[in-house]
Amino acid sequence: MVEDNSTFAPEFFLLGFTSQEDLQVICFVLFLAIYVVSLVGNLGVITLIRIDSCLHTPMYFFLSHLSLLDACYSSTIIPQALLNFLLKRKAISFMRCAAQLFSFATCATAECYVLAAMAYDRYVAICNPLLYPVVMSRQLCVGMLVGAYLAGVLSLAIHTVSIFHLPFCHSRRINHFFCDGPPLLALSCSDAWLSRMVVSAVVGFNVLSTTVFILVSYWLVLSAVLQIRSVAGRHRAFSTCASHLVSVSLYYSSSLFMYLRPSSTATLDHDKVVSVLYAVVVPMLNPLIYSLRNAEMKNAIRKAQELQTPMFIIFLSLYALLVMGNLLLMLLINTDPQLYTPMYFFLTHLSFMDLCLSSAVIPKALETFLFGTSNISFVGCFVQMHIFLMLVICECFLLGVMAYDRYAAVCQPLRYTALMSPARCYRMTMLVYTTGFLTSLVHTVLAGRLAFCRARSIDHFFCELPALLHLSCSSTRPNHILQVCSAELNILGSILVILVSYTCILYTVLWMPSAGTRMKVFSTCTSHLAAVTIFYVPGLATYILPSKARPQGEEKLVSVFYTAVTPLLNPLVYSLRNREVKGALRRLWGRRLFPHVP
């Protein structure tokens, strides 16, 4: 007997990417980082365009709505995916699934038409520059935008109804990480040919019509540009279109592959990867594409004093979350006897270092954002730099020590208690702090001997060594040599320890006969590997690359990552899928907050 949707439990189950808990932790951290970057980037673009009068033009009007659509359809998908990474029962109700499909696809369709409107804007600006203010009037821009949103709503109303009128009497397990059309159609127990044709027709009309419109617009743009005699003029005209062309290429290539290929070549596992590109990655990249090399946007950032308020809110939120996360983790480890092990002893110090590292930088940045006072004394600047460098170096070596702890636990289990005795753990920790203090002290003293007779304006949000060296009017060659040698010794040395430790672990694990045992052993190392990755990647990008290879603006973004984002993510990495930490949290909740409850 075929049952319709009303006779079933009104929910679906999203299978996601993997059922392995350790990989879900990695996916959670990765998606969370992408979502934060995407949300901050798109909301920042919208704020910047609204507060800067120089950006009140048709091109930036459409760009602000492109950012709004990116933020909306990322927020439609990623929060549910993040929740499913943490839950074992990955259920979504029938109505929420339909609403997610409708909201996501409406934003995606509207984005097609907004990209087409932006192509028309570039055509008018280049081919009819004298008529541009008249043609691209406010009324036309608003009308085109309203048309884009209406096309999205109407198209996806047909799209959603054509899918959800089908009976889903087979498995309710959606082989995807959100409610998308193709995996839902695969669950229908009736003939879904007509629904597939309707979906393909709607998507095909929206994507192909806007693609043709964009191609025609740029064909006319290319014809007009080739008639410009000046090479510089041609280059300037092309440069105004480059960002839009990159965005169009990223967005349309994935959409065309996803919806307009033959169904015989469709594989849902491959579809997940493509969906990540256009639903997660593209919304993150668009603000970067449209702003990093855009002179008008960069000038607006420099002029936008009002931007300090949202920056204050962002930094304050990150700081509050990381302080609570790291303090809670330290409290759990120090109050629960079941966590009195070497691994959690070192994890306590990692949280302490993350907390101190952020506290050395973020409070001063918050003061600057709130009061506009960006002055810092000579002594205060060097104290901040010394504390920051010391803690970064300490964290490098502590991650190496934690890798050795995992090696001893996996490869030398019978000798683990002797190898990682309390006395040895204390000595290793003291050595880590001493090495960090002395190395940072050498950097600070050597930098303090320089003459700063040029401008005293540090192009950074805290006193970082490379930014400080740019201000010196004396020779900084010894400082640069020390910086490179220190980076190689600290970063590459600790990475070598980590690689050797995990090579030995891998060799030992592969000799284990039971697959369950191998998985259990690997699971004890996953959190540490994730913490190592998110810490070392920005560190290598900042200190190993030559200074000419890293633009100052990008260096600030990397600095935000390892002063705010990494300390925020570490407590999540080490606790979300850690049964011992979650058990300790439950015991703390019952013992401390409800002591009279049996």
Side-chain angles (χ1 to χ4, degrees):
M1 177 179 177
V2 176
E3 303 179 36
D4 61 21
N5 295 330
S6 62
T7 61
F8 257 81
E11 62 183 6
F12 293 99
F13 297 93
L14 296 165
L15 298 184
F17 293 99
T18 178
S19 59
Q20 297 183 26
E21 293 185 356
D22 300 317
L23 292 179
Q24 288 184 2
V25 173
I26 297 173
C27 289
F28 176 86
V29 173
L30 182 61
F31 271 59
L32 178 62
I34 291 175
Y35 184 53
V36 169
V37 172
S38 176
L39 210 57
V40 170
N42 284 293
L43 294 180
V45 168
I46 295 170
T47 304
L48 197 63
I49 292 172
R50 289 184 63 86
I51 65 176
D52 195 294
S53 58
C54 295
L55 301 181
H56 292 174
T57 63
M59 181 177 76
Y60 291 107
F61 172 74
F62 291 124
L63 178 57
S64 66
H65 284 273
L66 182 70
S67 294
L68 176 64
L69 289 169
D70 282 339
C72 287
Y73 80 70
S74 291
S75 299
T76 301
I77 293 173
I78 299 182
Q80 179 68 44
L82 292 174
L83 182 64
N84 288 340
F85 288 137
L86 303 180
L87 300 176
K88 289 188 176 181
R89 191 174 184 273
K90 309 176 192 303
I92 182 171
S93 68
F94 186 89
M95 292 304 298
R96 283 186 64 191
C97 186
Q100 186 183 60
L101 173 64
F102 178 79
S103 302
F104 161 73
T106 297
C107 293
T109 304
E111 186 157 332
C112 291
Y113 287 97
V114 170
L115 288 170
M118 295 174 76
Y120 179 71
D121 170 77
R122 290 300 84 204
Y123 155 73
V124 176
I126 294 173
C127 300
N128 295 289
L130 298 179
L131 295 175
Y132 181 71
V134 177
V135 174
M136 296 303 295
S137 63
R138 180 73 178 176
Q139 292 80 2
L140 179 64
C141 291
V142 172
M144 294 170 73
L145 190 65
V146 171
Y149 283 113
L150 285 177
V153 171
L154 294 177
S155 299
L156 271 301
I158 299 171
H159 188 134
T160 305
V161 170
S162 67
I163 292 175
F164 279 90
H165 86 284
L166 296 171
F168 299 102
C169 49
H170 292 328
S171 170
R172 290 294 181 103
R173 299 180 181 276
I174 302 174
N175 190 13
H176 215 292
F177 65 98
F178 71 97
C179 291
D180 201 5
L184 280 168
L185 288 172
L187 299 183
S188 175
C189 55
S190 63
D191 187 3
W193 177 85
L194 181 59
S195 296
R196 286 193 175 92
M197 290 300 296
V198 171
V199 170
S200 296
V202 170
V203 174
F205 175 78
N206 292 325
V207 174
L208 294 181
S209 62
T210 52
T211 301
V212 170
F213 189 86
I214 292 170
L215 290 176
V216 170
S217 298
Y218 275 108
W219 175 259
L220 297 173
V221 168
L222 181 62
S223 301
V225 168
L226 292 178
Q227 294 178 10
I228 300 175
R229 295 182 180 181
S230 168
V231 176
R234 289 198 296 269
H235 177 74
R236 186 165 56 251
F238 274 129
S239 66
T240 64
C241 307
S243 298
H244 181 253
L245 283 172
V246 172
S247 182
V248 166
S249 300
L250 285 173
Y251 185 77
Y252 277 93
S253 59
S254 55
S255 299
L256 289 168
F257 175 84
M258 184 73 183
Y259 289 99
L260 301 183
R261 58 182 174 166
S263 59
S264 59
T265 65
T267 59
L268 293 178
D269 289 332
H270 291 167
D271 287 352
K272 295 179 192 177
V273 179
V274 179
S275 299
V276 169
L277 179 62
Y278 72 81
V280 180
V281 177
V282 171
M284 178 187 68
L285 293 180
N286 275 341
L288 302 177
I289 292 169
Y290 279 99
S291 60
L292 283 179
R293 297 298 178 184
N294 188 310
E296 292 175 328
M297 291 288 287
K298 289 193 285 188
N299 289 334
I301 291 173
R302 295 190 189 99
K303 294 186 298 180
Q305 297 298 324
E306 294 90 342
L307 194 61
Q308 291 187 355
T309 300
M311 289 298 291
F312 173 83
I313 295 172
I314 292 169
F315 270 69
L316 181 61
S317 302
L318 289 174
Y319 186 56
L321 290 173
L322 71 89
V323 167
M324 288 189 293
N326 285 288
L327 286 178
L328 179 60
L329 192 57
M330 293 165 63
L331 176 67
L332 285 177
I333 294 172
N334 284 282
T335 57
D336 196 294
Q338 294 188 26
L339 302 183
Y340 291 171
T341 64
M343 181 178 76
Y344 292 108
F345 171 77
F346 294 129
L347 181 55
T348 304
H349 286 275
L350 182 68
S351 293
F352 175 72
M353 290 175 187
D354 282 337
L355 185 60
C356 293
L357 178 67
S358 299
S359 298
V361 174
I362 297 182
K364 181 61 182 176
L366 291 175
E367 179 188 343
T368 301
F369 294 139
L370 187 61
F371 300 109
T373 56
S374 57
N375 297 331
I376 184 171
S377 67
F378 187 87
V379 174
C381 182
F382 277 83
V383 168
Q384 186 185 58
M385 183 181 71
H386 172 66
I387 295 174
F388 172 77
L389 281 175
M390 180 186 75
L391 292 170
V392 169
I393 295 167
C394 287
E395 194 155 333
C396 286
F397 284 105
L398 185 64
L399 288 171
V401 170
M402 294 174 77
Y404 175 76
D405 170 75
R406 293 298 84 206
Y407 156 76
V410 175
C411 302
Q412 305 284 340
L414 299 179
R415 300 181 56 211
Y416 179 69
T417 306
L419 289 174
M420 302 302 295
S421 63
R424 179 167 290 186
C425 290
Y426 280 114
R427 286 198 296 270
M428 294 168 76
T429 305
M430 288 301 299
L431 182 61
V432 165
Y433 282 109
T434 303
T435 304
F437 176 81
L438 293 178
T439 307
S440 176
L441 186 63
V442 174
H443 278 289
T444 306
V445 170
L446 198 58
R449 295 171 61 88
L450 297 173
F452 298 97
C453 50
R454 297 175 185 169
R456 295 291 181 97
S457 300
I458 302 174
D459 191 14
H460 217 293
F461 64 93
F462 71 99
C463 291
E464 194 188 31
L465 181 60
L468 201 61
L469 294 180
H470 285 304
L471 303 182
S472 175
C473 54
S474 56
S475 175
T476 58
R477 182 178 176 82
N479 301 79
H480 287 297
I481 293 174
L482 177 63
Q483 182 181 336
V484 173
C485 293
S486 176
E488 290 179 353
L489 176 64
N490 299 325
I491 299 178
L492 299 183
S494 55
I495 287 177
L496 182 62
V497 172
I498 293 169
L499 289 177
V500 171
S501 298
Y502 277 106
T503 301
C504 296
I505 289 172
L506 182 63
Y507 179 80
T508 302
V509 168
L510 291 178
W511 279 96
M512 294 178 178
S514 169
T517 305
R518 289 197 295 269
M519 184 58 63
K520 184 178 180 181
V521 171
F522 273 130
S523 67
T524 64
C525 306
T526 308
S527 298
H528 179 254
L529 284 173
V532 166
T533 302
I534 61 178
F535 179 79
Y536 278 102
V537 170
L540 290 170
T542 304
Y543 289 104
I544 298 299
L545 290 177
S547 58
K548 294 181 180 179
R550 53 177 195 266
Q552 190 72 11
E554 293 181 15
E555 188 173 282
K556 292 178 188 176
L557 291 176
V558 173
S559 298
V560 169
F561 194 90
Y562 64 76
T563 57
V565 179
T566 300
L568 172 66
L569 293 179
N570 275 343
L572 301 176
V573 169
Y574 276 98
S575 61
L576 286 176
R577 286 295 180 177
N578 190 308
R579 293 180 180 177
E580 294 173 328
V581 173
K582 289 194 289 186
L585 183 59
R586 285 192 292 269
R587 289 189 292 273
L588 178 68
W589 180 271
R591 185 174 67 250
R592 300 283 180 170
L593 301 182
F594 303 102
H596 303 296
V597 177

